[in-house]
Amino acid sequence: VTEVLAHRSDSLRDKFVEIPCSEDYDSHKRFEGCTPRRCGRGVTDAIITREEAERIRRIAERGLSLGGSDGGASILDLHSGALSLGKHFVNLYRYFGDKIHDIFTEEDFALYRDVRQRIQQRIAQAFGISSASMYLTKPTFFSRMNSTEAKTTHDEYWHPHVDKVTYGSFDYTSLLYLSDYTQDFGGGRFVFMDADSNKTVEPRAGRVSFFTSGSENLHRVEKVHWGTRYAITISFTCNPEHGIGDPVL
């Protein structure tokens, strides 16, 4: 059974569904006032405009034009500099050196930072925690997905997974979509896999989907059948030791 949590044509101010927390958080150090005690998932179209999403997508397009995977999934991480190139990754900043200033501007990074802060505040508000208790964590990255056949396991983005299990540091995960389902690409919906049914989120530019990172939110992305899907994954931890700074040019 599949239910649509958010249609592309919806304009959602705030949709939030509370679900019982898994036990995943118990095997990590707890941080009072931040570690999830209330779990769930939310979708909002009200904090990032379509115009801002388009500007951010252009940052991703410019960065990924320097490389790109041989398979269907390419990654650009402005924090670490990781960029898909063929079947491998290179460090964007080392590889391109000073030329990076011809690709990105200070305004790009300021917009990125501003959007990240708004998403962080929205998550804190939804889960009743202080946004100051949350830290950006890695990996936080742009993704570009298309229907090209997978060449390495990095290209197999469609497997079900739990972020807390995969990354450990994640407590809250968010996705900002930068392109439109059925207009820019087919397939590629985000699917929460619950015991009784699947709940899907149809991407639209500017839409933010966010959720607690434990097994209560097992999820996957459908294979993209045509076109190109852009998104950015922005992740938060409660553990300051796993925190990272915003990217700087």
Side-chain angles (χ1 to χ4, degrees):
V1 180
T2 297
E3 294 173 37
V4 180
L5 194 62
H7 291 273
R8 184 189 66 82
S9 55
D10 297 339
S11 182
L12 298 170
R13 175 130 205 97
D14 276 311
K15 184 159 191 174
F16 185 77
V17 180
E18 192 164 338
I19 42 179
C21 292
S22 63
E23 294 172 3
D24 296 350
Y25 308 99
D26 299 339
S27 53
H28 295 263
K29 186 175 175 188
R30 294 192 76 93
F31 292 85
E32 213 43 62
C34 180
T35 300
R37 291 203 178 276
R38 177 183 180 218
C39 292
R41 53 187 72 143
V43 183
T44 176
D45 297 314
I47 57 169
I48 312 298
T49 67
R50 287 187 75 83
E51 189 262 337
E52 286 168 330
E54 280 160 18
R55 283 169 59 199
I56 289 184
R57 189 180 73 221
R58 289 198 287 274
I59 300 172
E61 286 169 343
R62 290 200 302 273
L64 285 161
S65 72
L66 303 172
S69 159
D70 288 342
S74 298
I75 296 298
L76 167 65
D77 181 335
L78 291 179
H79 301 265
S80 69
L83 170 70
S84 300
L85 188 66
K87 293 186 176 65
H88 307 284
F89 289 93
V90 293
N91 185 312
L92 181 76
Y93 302 121
R94 280 210 294 272
Y95 202 76
F96 293 97
D98 289 340
K99 289 201 195 88
I100 210 77
H101 291 272
D102 302 331
I103 299 146
F104 302 122
T105 65
E106 291 291 356
E107 288 78 20
D108 292 338
F109 280 60
L111 175 64
Y112 183 97
R113 199 162 50 241
D114 180 38
V115 162
R116 186 274 301 163
Q117 285 166 348
R118 275 185 263 163
I119 291 171
Q120 184 166 343
Q121 284 159 359
R122 180 68 201 92
I123 293 172
Q125 188 188 346
F127 291 102
I129 60 174
S130 157
S131 79
S133 68
M134 300 162 65
Y135 303 87
L136 198 59
T137 191
K138 62 181 184 186
T140 281
F141 58 91
F142 288 106
S143 58
R144 181 183 72 195
M145 295 172 184
N146 59 35
S147 58
T148 311
E149 192 184 331
K151 300 292 191 295
T152 71
T153 52
H154 288 295
D155 295 319
E156 296 183 16
Y157 54 80
W158 51 80
H159 298 296
H161 63 277
V162 171
D163 291 345
K164 188 80 184 154
V165 173
T166 306
Y167 300 113
S169 63
F170 282 30
D171 290 303
Y172 300 93
T173 307
S174 73
L175 291 139
L176 166 59
Y177 297 109
L178 305 174
S179 44
D180 289 308
Y181 172 66
T182 69
Q183 284 196 349
D184 299 313
F185 62 91
R189 294 182 303 172
F190 185 95
V191 185
F192 290 109
M193 304 177 73
D194 295 343
D196 53 345
S197 71
N198 287 343
K199 314 284 194 305
T200 63
V201 176
E202 299 178 354
R204 73 178 244 163
R207 171 167 285 170
V208 176
S209 166
F210 59 90
F211 49 94
T212 43
S213 307
S215 303
E216 67 279 357
N217 281 313
L218 172 70
H219 61 272
R220 69 183 186 89
V221 172
E222 295 173 334
K223 284 186 184 181
V224 172
H225 302 310
W226 60 267
T228 307
R229 176 194 194 270
Y230 283 94
I232 176 168
T233 300
I234 301 177
S235 335
F236 298 97
T237 183
C238 295
N239 188 339
E241 287 174 24
H242 293 304
I244 59 172
D246 284 304
V248 287
L249 197 54

